[in-house]
Amino acid sequence: HSYIVIGAGILGASTAYHLAKSGARVTLIDREEPGQATDAAAGIVCPWLSQRRNKKWYRLAKGGARYYPELIDKLKEDGETETGYEKVGAISLHTDEDKLEKMEQRAYKRREDAPEIGTITRLSPEETRALFPPLSSEYGSVHVSGGARVNGKAIRQALIRAAEKNGAVFYRSHASLIHEDSRVIGAETEERRLLADKVIVTAGAWGGELFRPLGLSLDITSQRAQIAHVEIPGEDTSAWPVVMPPTPQYMLAFENGRIVVGATHDDGVGFDHRVTAGGLHEIFDKALKIAPGLADSTMLEAKAGFRPFTPGFLPVFGEVPGWEGVLIANGLGASGLTVGPYLGAELARMVLGEKTELDPADYDVSEAII
Ligand code: FAD
């Protein structure tokens, strides 16, 4: 069987990798759209402390976090070690002891069916700061050893290279769908017309546009996220934990003193993929209150990407109702680095006619069709 995957963010790259690994013929196409979410994202994988109550979302996010170590091992077998993934642990901050108490209880409760959370430890402000020295001194925290960070760009590239090693072909091009009546039969790139048994569309924030020629209107929206990278010269930051402050912000460390702080939630900007003065102001205004020690760090770079959303902030995946030969997965929103690799594996299983771990009815594509 032959398959085409349109869109090689983390979701499409993972789908292509898992399909290729199973021996299928796979073509992956991506037009390298500026503002691709995956390229801009870095990267907390720590869904368990979230206060979001949606069970379907949590099941998906939990599965995503659990799957990472297995995926990293598979990629290693394919010779890919540069993924930016590291289980460095995570600290969730608060100044209020009651809130920390509740957070700790939530962590223990969630560990009952998610042992991958690892060790849960309540830390004093001094202990918290010892783990992430730039932090302000008033924050206590709950530390979970299973929290991880990942570099979106690095894991995406590792997945694409590993897919190619398993026989997949990757084209850098815009793609559109080719259809006959109510059946999608392939995709057209700038240079080629490709036929396939099935086409899988994992096109993120731009997913809706591919279906317009089919007369389908998809409810996919997007939100710009800006994020900044700074460096603390001469500091070994490689083992510093991910930091989750009480605000919807975060910071995390990579090797060589690199600290990533983000991200903004910019609505109503369309596909304007600029990094703005206001965006950076907001990021640093919030970040320096939490971690004043970053004031003297070196500014390295800033990025912007579009979080793709489907209705209810719940991802969808599966066949497009009323059509043959075409599947969609989309709506990874703010947690797509966590969810993407796992959902790609699930999507590959679905395409290959194997049983999925998740119930696809919970993530029904018709929810995203207007
Ligand atoms: P994308 O990565 O956007 O990929 C879609 C791809 O489709 C693009 O490469 C585009 O070029 C291609 N495409 C579209 N249309 C076509 C076409 N017609 N032809 C060819 N190619 C096409 N998640 C977490 O879990 N933890 C985090 O800490 C985190 N932080 C983030 C920080 C930022 C700044 C951002 C922007 C996101 C963050 N996320 C995080 C969310 C996560 O990055 C996204 O949910 C995820 O990357 C979405 O992946 P995707 O593959 O669906 O979309």
Side-chain angles (χ1 to χ4, degrees), residues 7 9-11 30-31 33 36-38 41 44 175 250 333-338:
I10 193 161
L11 182 54
D30 194 288
R31 69 180 183 206
E33 184 74 44
Q36 178 203 72
T38 305
I44 301 191
Y250 51 83
S335 42
L337 287 189
T338 307

Side-chain angles (χ1 to χ4, degrees), residues 6-12 29-33 35-38 40-44 156 173-175 202-206 209-210 225-227 250 263 305-308 332-339:
I6 302 180
I10 193 161
L11 182 54
I29 311 167
D30 194 288
R31 69 180 183 206
E32 315 232 301
E33 184 74 44
Q36 178 203 72
T38 305
I44 301 191
R156 166 184 185 257
S173 170
H174 167 74
T202 47
W206 304 271
E209 124 202 347
L210 277 134
Q226 303 183 55
I227 193 164
Y250 51 83
F306 296 100
R307 303 181 180 103
L332 269 47
S335 42
L337 287 189
T338 307
V339 161

